[in-house]
Amino acid sequence: MAKPSVLVTGGSGLIGTRLCQKLSETGYDVKVLTRKKKENSRFKNYYWNPEKKEIEPEALEDCTYIVHLAGANIASKRWTKNRKKEILSSRAGTAKFLYESISGLKLKPTAFISSSAVGFYGTVTSEKVFSEDDPAAQDFLGQTCGQWEAAADLFRESGIRTVKIRTSLVLANKGPLSKIMLPVKLGIGSPLGKGNQYMPWIHIDDLCAIFIKAIEDTNLDGAYNAVAPDHKTNREFTKTLATILRRPMIAPNVSAFVLKGLLGEMSVIALEGSRVSSEKIKNAGFKFKYPTLEQALRNIYRI
Ligand SMILES: NC(=O)c1ccc[n+]([C@@H]2O[C@H](COP(=O)([O-])OP(=O)(O)OC[C@H]3O[C@@H](n4cnc5c(N)ncnc54)[C@H](OP(=O)(O)O)[C@@H]3O)[C@@H](O)[C@H]2O)c1
């Protein structure tokens, strides 16, 4: 019998690369939808250019599942008006384009699994624990995630099971953690701003396991937070990282004023953060392999 196939958009990125590997190990036929096709890739690459509304039709042939991870990086460039447009259109616009692209197919995918982000709840520093029943925040990230999820829901409205994974900071030996780790490793790590903002996080392998559960467990439908149960503020996160890396944490807090000057509006990612619940995915039967930050960091740094 042919293996079920999964088409992964953004399969070349941090999460996508790991997820494709895990999916393949689990027995799926993995296809990557990318703007820059690589001939020597481990997985078959298919070209798309969502801006020009171009997609290789073979990408969608016999496609049992679609996992939608594509999105312009939110932390790599300042949030100018144009960059904000790109951040939104590369998520919501691409989901809509995928939906239009499958509309004419006789054999449609059985499930659409889309990334979303805990930015859905906004950048609010408080003790409130946000759950999936809370509405999208009014700020830029909240509205972006809201529109991203609304575009994903086009699939649901056409009868395709749709799961939206509200992802938190992904811990891996590459990506955002390597930027956070650098000053700590140099012995100059310190909390950002007040340091009391929450930093919801998840180990990359737990996140991939949630995506695979979303594919396989047909009871999963709607939004799920992908966040470890160990809630840490920025100060606690930095302290745990420094302890694991055996570095001191003596430098004063990084001034919010300086970060705002350096990063502009994007500084909210560093200076604010909501506390987010993992109860719904746990109640759906998911067991975290790395429930505590210490366990996750020890695994990543092999300590
Ligand atoms: N990493 C995290 O901590 C984190 C946290 C919360 C949510 N997420 C979400 O999870 C998804 C994947 O994250 P990631 O860390 O793996 O991201 P990543 O490493 O930046 O990869 C994203 C992929 O999206 C594609 N892409 C980039 N710009 C695009 C554009 N303008 N139009 C269409 N496609 C574009 C690229 O694939 P090609 O170049 O091959 O087309 C890229 O490899 C993103 O949507 C992100 O918002 C990530």
Side-chain angles (χ1 to χ4, degrees):
M1 214 173 78
K3 295 179 190 172
S5 81
V6 186
L7 178 69
V8 183
T9 77
S12 61
L14 174 75
I15 300 168
T17 304
R18 187 83 175 137
L19 180 61
C20 289
Q21 188 191 333
K22 293 275 179 193
L23 284 167
S24 171
E25 286 166 12
T26 313
Y28 291 96
D29 176 25
V30 177
K31 306 186 202 183
V32 170
L33 193 58
T34 173
R35 296 162 308 156
K36 298 164 219 143
K37 216 169 144 175
K38 288 191 202 91
E39 292 308 328
N40 57 353
S41 164
R42 181 171 162 199
F43 305 108
K44 196 142 191 222
N45 278 204
Y46 294 87
Y47 170 80
W48 73 334
N49 184 328
E51 257 179 79
K52 292 188 183 162
K53 303 233 169 201
E54 292 171 352
I55 186 164
E56 249 185 279
E58 294 77 20
L60 300 164
E61 269 171 22
D62 302 322
C63 171
T64 327
Y65 305 100
I66 298 178
V67 174
H68 181 41
L69 297 174
N73 198 293
I74 63 157
S76 62
K77 288 186 189 165
R78 274 175 90 96
W79 290 356
T80 59
K81 213 171 156 192
N82 280 345
R83 185 62 178 169
K84 280 178 158 181
K85 263 192 201 162
E86 191 182 357
I87 287 173
L88 176 62
S89 69
S90 61
R91 292 174 168 78
T94 50
K96 196 162 173 259
F97 175 52
L98 282 169
Y99 173 72
E100 289 159 3
S101 305
I102 64 130
S103 296
L105 293 179
K106 269 200 191 131
L107 203 61
K108 296 198 170 62
T110 50
F112 182 71
I113 318 296
S114 180
S115 179
S116 176
V118 293
F120 183 92
Y121 305 112
T123 39
V124 194
T125 297
S126 75
E127 289 301 312
K128 173 179 162 68
V129 181
F130 287 87
S131 77
E132 289 82 349
D133 294 332
D134 283 300
Q138 289 304 313
D139 61 13
F140 169 63
L141 289 181
Q143 289 300 297
T144 298
C145 293
Q147 291 185 49
W148 192 3
E149 294 194 11
D153 280 336
L154 291 170
F155 286 81
R156 154 175 289 135
E157 286 151 22
S158 75
I160 295 172
R161 185 172 65 85
T162 299
V163 186
K164 297 158 290 184
I165 308 292
R166 293 183 185 157
T167 305
S168 53
L169 174 71
V170 177
L171 303 189
N173 57 8
K174 288 187 260 181
L177 182 62
S178 50
K179 286 189 190 154
I180 297 169
M181 182 268 278
L182 195 63
V184 176
K185 207 172 172 192
L186 294 172
I188 51 167
S190 56
L192 306 178
K194 288 187 179 149
N196 62 346
Q197 64 277 33
Y198 278 89
M199 279 179 77
W201 62 273
I202 188 162
H203 187 290
I204 193 161
D205 287 349
D206 275 332
L207 177 63
C208 291
I210 289 178
F211 272 101
I212 294 174
K213 182 175 173 64
I215 286 174
E216 296 180 345
D217 184 343
T218 53
N219 290 318
L220 258 63
D221 210 342
Y224 293 82
N225 296 330
V227 46
D230 185 16
H231 297 180
K232 288 278 188 267
T233 62
N234 174 269
R235 178 188 313 285
E236 291 161 347
F237 190 106
T238 315
K239 178 100 184 54
T240 308
L241 186 55
T243 307
I244 300 276
L245 296 176
R246 299 199 188 92
R247 295 291 193 276
M249 211 177 85
I250 45 175
N253 288 23
V254 179
S255 141
F257 181 75
V258 170
L259 280 173
K260 280 181 191 159
L262 278 173
L263 305 174
E265 188 184 346
M266 192 170 81
S267 62
V268 292
I269 306 174
L271 292 171
E272 304 287 342
S274 307
R275 201 171 180 182
V276 178
S277 167
S278 57
E279 288 308 304
K280 188 175 174 191
I281 193 71
K282 283 199 292 186
N283 290 339
F286 183 76
K287 292 205 170 26
F288 285 87
K289 191 169 176 197
Y290 304 100
T292 70
L293 182 60
E294 192 173 331
Q295 284 170 303
L297 293 174
R298 285 197 186 285
N299 169 266
I300 289 164
Y301 296 118
R302 308 273 177 242
I303 292 172

